[in-house]
Amino acid sequence: MSNNPQKKTTAPAIRAYLGGSFDPIHNGHLEVALHVYQDLLPIATQQNRPLHVSLLPNACSPFKTQSTDPAHRLAMLQLATQDTPIQINELEIWQAPPVYTIDSVRTLRQQYPNDCLIFIMGMDSARSLDKWKDGLQLTDYVNLWVFNREDSDHINDGVSDNATSLGNSIATSQYLATLQSQLPLPLQPHVTNSPIELLTPMTRCLLNTMEADSSKINSLDVNSTDLKSAMKGRIYIDTRPITAVSSTQIREQLQILGNKTNKMPVTERQIASIAPINDIMSNTHPNSLAKWLNPAVYHYIIAHQLYSAAQFR
């Protein structure tokens, strides 16, 4: 008999997913995933609920013409998440592209009908959900945790982490209202100011809205369209500053580094490699890649000649 306490509880699990190409995985991705994990862990512990925060790599983004081989991206994800509580979900990565988020969240809801499901995304993506395939239907299946990756320092101009004054509270409220207004109009009513509300089962939200009319609840088929449309997830906008970096920027930096060093004679190239490798290993900042890439990921990129990176042999 297993002594695993998670197997003894019947409480619904909390499952959060950060999707993306992760091409390559960088510290900004992990920062977001760890923020969510750290916020949810005390709640999950108090409620005796299993917690899973996972990276959900896609097969190939429908918005990109090229993507690095899934095997390489998965290998880099495994290196980057070692010694962290962050998991990897391979639902999308081996599928033939294009793979759309709406199909994935439907599959996840079918797999985990009783669990709390949260999909993590940036505000830049949330703003454009009406342009995604059935993007406005995501909240039929999952809750959304939205980080404002663009202009993330704005909130700190007048609001410190420990601010409690009325003025700062008003500034925060105004900032949140501004972000909320940028969401597609049908999604704006679903915004909540607390991540705890994302953990309320969607069926309970339905019952609360209909509790004054029990006959209507009884008349609904569990699989009916009316029930599905009534079960709306909530949206939490997280305003804390997060790292403003993209995989595109990192690929560009790797290509610049590769172009410079590959033009050198072999001996000079080996000498030139010492500084950037040391930067990565010691996490110093002269080489900007040191700030964004896990050392093991960086060495994987070099070893497998990804992104036209310089080969230090």
Side-chain angles (χ1 to χ4, degrees):
M1 181 177 295
S2 172
N3 292 324
N4 188 338
Q6 289 191 354
K7 293 186 178 181
K8 293 180 180 179
T9 180
T10 58
I14 302 170
R15 302 180 185 274
Y17 301 90
L18 174 62
S21 60
F22 304 110
D23 196 10
I25 174 74
H26 56 70
N27 292 340
H29 294 132
L30 289 176
E31 180 183 3
V32 168
L34 286 170
H35 274 323
V36 173
Y37 181 87
Q38 290 161 0
D39 282 2
L40 292 179
L41 182 59
I43 303 172
T45 301
Q46 182 181 26
Q47 298 180 358
N48 196 27
R49 299 172 65 175
L51 173 62
H52 308 277
V53 177
S54 303
L55 303 180
L56 184 68
N58 57 34
C60 180
S61 169
F63 302 108
K64 296 179 181 178
T65 57
Q66 291 184 333
S67 193
T68 302
D69 188 295
H72 284 314
R73 290 188 288 121
L74 183 59
M76 290 187 285
L77 283 168
Q78 291 168 339
L79 291 170
T81 55
Q82 284 181 349
D83 303 319
T84 79
I86 306 304
Q87 303 172 20
I88 303 169
N89 186 296
E90 300 182 25
L91 171 66
E92 294 186 354
I93 195 168
W94 302 116
Q95 296 185 48
V99 178
Y100 295 97
T101 301
I102 187 63
D103 298 323
S104 296
V105 298
R106 284 171 177 154
T107 298
L108 290 169
R109 177 52 66 194
Q110 291 172 352
Q111 289 179 348
Y112 308 111
N114 300 316
D115 291 351
C116 167
L117 303 184
I118 300 170
F119 200 81
I120 308 163
M121 65 174 58
M123 190 67 194
D124 50 334
S125 296
R127 288 192 196 99
S128 62
L129 281 176
D130 52 349
K131 307 294 192 302
W132 292 26
K133 178 188 175 183
D134 298 333
L136 298 182
Q137 296 180 25
L138 290 184
T139 51
D140 289 346
Y141 305 94
V142 297
N143 301 285
L144 302 181
W145 190 314
V146 179
F147 282 87
N148 186 35
R149 293 189 292 195
E150 295 181 356
D151 196 25
S152 59
D153 289 336
H154 175 75
I155 191 67
N156 283 345
D157 292 342
V159 184
S160 68
D161 291 339
N162 298 318
T164 57
S165 71
L166 177 60
N168 284 335
S169 176
I170 293 173
T172 302
S173 298
Q174 291 174 340
Y175 182 62
L176 283 170
T178 298
L179 293 176
Q180 181 175 352
S181 69
Q182 295 173 9
L183 294 174
L185 191 60
L187 297 180
Q188 293 179 20
H190 305 301
V191 172
T192 176
N193 60 5
S194 171
I196 295 179
E197 293 195 32
L198 303 185
L199 307 186
T200 302
M202 296 173 75
T203 49
R204 185 184 302 170
C205 294
L206 171 68
L207 294 175
N208 289 342
T209 59
M210 294 181 163
E211 60 185 357
D213 188 356
S214 59
S215 62
K216 187 173 182 180
I217 298 174
N218 294 332
S219 67
L220 284 175
D221 185 335
V222 171
N223 295 317
S224 73
T225 302
D226 291 338
L227 179 60
K228 191 193 77 167
S229 62
M231 292 170 58
K232 291 293 184 181
R234 307 303 300 276
I235 302 172
Y236 172 63
I237 300 176
D238 194 325
T239 61
R240 85 187 88 188
I242 60 172
T243 301
V245 65
S246 71
S247 294
T248 300
Q249 292 171 317
I250 290 175
R251 290 196 302 272
E252 290 171 352
Q253 289 295 316
L254 285 165
Q255 188 163 7
I256 291 171
L257 178 63
N259 289 341
K260 286 181 179 179
T261 55
N262 285 336
K263 293 177 182 178
M264 300 176 181
V266 175
T267 303
E268 293 182 21
R269 187 186 313 167
Q270 290 174 341
I271 295 173
S273 75
I274 296 175
I277 288 179
N278 286 343
D279 286 342
I280 292 289
M281 295 304 294
S282 61
N283 196 29
T284 56
H285 291 235
N287 173 18
S288 61
L289 295 175
K291 186 176 180 180
W292 310 129
L293 288 178
N294 178 291
V297 171
Y298 180 81
H299 281 285
Y300 185 94
I301 290 170
I302 297 301
H304 293 273
Q305 305 184 32
L306 303 181
Y307 316 116
S308 299
Q311 299 311 293
F312 304 131
R313 297 181 182 275

